[in-house]
Amino acid sequence: MGTMKLHGHPISPAVRRVAACLEEKGLPYEFVFVDLSTGQQKKEPFISLNPFGQVPALEDGDLKLFESRAITQYITRTYADKGTPLLPTDPLKQTMVSVWSEVESHAFDAAASKLSFEILIKPILGMSTDEGAVEVQQGKLAQVLDVYESRLGKSKYLGGEDFSLADLHHLPIINNLLGTKIKALFDARPHVSAWCADILARPAWQKVLASMNMKLSS
Amino acid sequence: MGTMKLHGHPISPAVRRVAACLEEKGLPYEFVFVDLSTGQQKKEPFISLNPFGQVPALEDGDLKLFESRAITQYITRTYADKGTPLLPTDPLKQTMVSVWSEVESHAFDAAASKLSFEILIKPILGMSTDEGAVEVQQGKLAQVLDVYESRLGKSKYLGGEDFSLADLHHLPIINNLLGTKIKALFDARPHVSAWCADILARPAWQKVLASMNMKLSS
């Protein structure tokens, strides 16, 4: 197979999630820019890659995939022998990664993505932040982070003792929120705070930030 | 290992999702009633099974799991040789099931669960349905079902030619919505409509309905 193609916009958390997985695996990829400002994601040829018209999409040879968390699973399982494992080989340990991946996908993301949207994205789009919504979602995120604080007091990472997809999936939104007042929620919880510092410092994630920020400013 | 224990309330779609998986696999299980009306799910001993205080939780021997879609994956992989396969063995086919499972978990569930809550659950709780929210979510669900209609015109099931977790995860909410005015959205799309009839008629799902309805009325 040739080089994989990652279709997306550099500001999208879901696109950055897939890029983080590719960098952890040390896999080269071509970034194909999808211009969200002109609605390119809702038109051909992109709509043939993802009928829902949302970034990202991945092409690996003839295979066309969408949904960021399905893509990271595909990359992790297909290129199991490259770079960081990201999934334990032991089935029981894999199950715990699966449980905490679902937690990210539902409990965490529901609150955290809304906060990121209200505080960071809306001002960019010229819309005003709904402070009531921020307060509600902040309360929900605090409850989720209380559970994380307890979990991370018992195991080094969410899915177990090793960094895995369950942690990686959090990176783009945590990175966004730590640049806002929501940072206080993370700072107030020492295990959560140490975990964030640890996963954000990973060289693969730093490479994603550098390359996506370069794409944004060019 | 002894008989598995499924902790939950019989009205919960997430609990029914796990029950459907257990029935497809032909695995016996003990149902442990969690009384949501008194907040049992937020207290010990349940909170030790799921720190988020939400049903379901599954116990299989010493293993304690939560998050319905992680539980169905666990059951499917651990008891691969029992009952309906639910996941293809071919990695590429498995990837497609994973993509469409993510679609259910995000695109479909986001709209469909809110509709089920507004139209079915709120009246039970003595709250009034927000018709504005219903209209917004109906529009979103229609868009999702348009993509399903196209997909199901090309493959018999969402994940491919065989019934899989990607279909099974939809059962509880589709079953709920077909008893409401939202049924019209499904009826208007022939492939979607045939798919619903097919998956709802599965003996395993019929067993879940019979046993959960019995528990509700007792």
Side-chain angles (χ1 to χ4, degrees), chain A residues 25 72-73 76-77 80-81 83-101 151 157-167, chain B residues 77:
Chain A
K25 286 290 175 186
T72 60
Q73 281 230 24
T76 301
R77 291 185 191 278
D81 56 334
T84 314
L86 298 178
L87 270 181
T89 46
D90 175 72
L92 270 190
K93 289 183 182 168
Q94 211 173 100
T95 292
M96 295 322 293
V97 170
S98 162
V99 166
W100 288 92
S101 296
R151 170 73 180 166
Y157 293 99
L158 284 179
E161 288 310 309
D162 298 306
F163 178 77
S164 74
L165 287 183
D167 309 292
Chain B
R77 291 184 190 276

Side-chain angles (χ1 to χ4, degrees), chain B residues 12-173:
Chain B
S12 154
V15 170
R16 291 175 172 210
R17 184 176 292 130
V18 172
C21 183
L22 289 164
E23 293 292 356
E24 287 285 352
K25 286 289 174 188
L27 296 166
Y29 65 96
E30 182 190 332
F31 189 86
V32 185
F33 183 80
V34 179
D35 192 348
L36 304 183
S37 72
T38 61
Q40 248 188 356
Q41 78 279 15
K42 302 289 180 192
K43 301 171 196 156
E44 291 294 354
F46 186 81
I47 203 85
S48 288
L49 292 172
N50 179 0
F52 291 96
Q54 288 165 339
V55 292
L58 184 85
E59 283 186 277
D60 190 5
D62 290 336
L63 185 68
K64 299 172 204 321
L65 297 177
F66 57 97
E67 282 289 342
S68 64
R69 296 171 186 85
I71 296 174
T72 60
Q73 282 230 25
Y74 164 76
I75 295 167
T76 301
R77 291 184 190 276
T78 308
Y79 301 97
D81 56 333
K82 308 257 185 196
T84 314
L86 298 177
L87 269 181
T89 46
D90 174 73
L92 270 190
K93 289 182 180 168
Q94 212 173 98
T95 292
M96 294 323 293
V97 169
S98 161
V99 167
W100 288 92
S101 297
E102 288 292 327
V103 167
E104 181 280 325
S105 173
H106 296 108
F108 178 85
D109 195 63
S113 275
K114 282 189 200 111
L115 286 169
S116 172
F117 179 71
E118 286 294 339
I119 302 174
L120 285 169
I121 309 298
K122 271 189 160 181
I124 294 174
L125 302 176
M127 296 160 78
S128 52
T129 299
D130 175 345
E131 292 298 341
V134 168
E135 200 154 323
V136 169
Q137 298 306 328
Q138 230 179 319
K140 289 187 182 175
L141 183 59
Q143 289 186 340
V144 173
L145 294 183
D146 281 342
V147 177
Y148 281 29
E149 181 65 10
S150 159
R151 171 73 181 167
L152 293 166
K154 288 174 225 147
S155 69
K156 188 165 181 209
Y157 294 99
L158 284 179
E161 288 311 309
D162 298 307
F163 177 78
S164 74
L165 287 183
D167 309 292
L168 181 143
H169 288 174
H170 290 78
L171 281 167
I173 294 284

Side-chain angles (χ1 to χ4, degrees), chain B residues 184-200:
Chain B
L185 292 186
F186 293 86
D187 289 349
R189 293 166 177 84
H191 292 297
V192 168
S193 191
W195 169 73
C196 289
D198 177 1
I199 65 176
L200 288 166

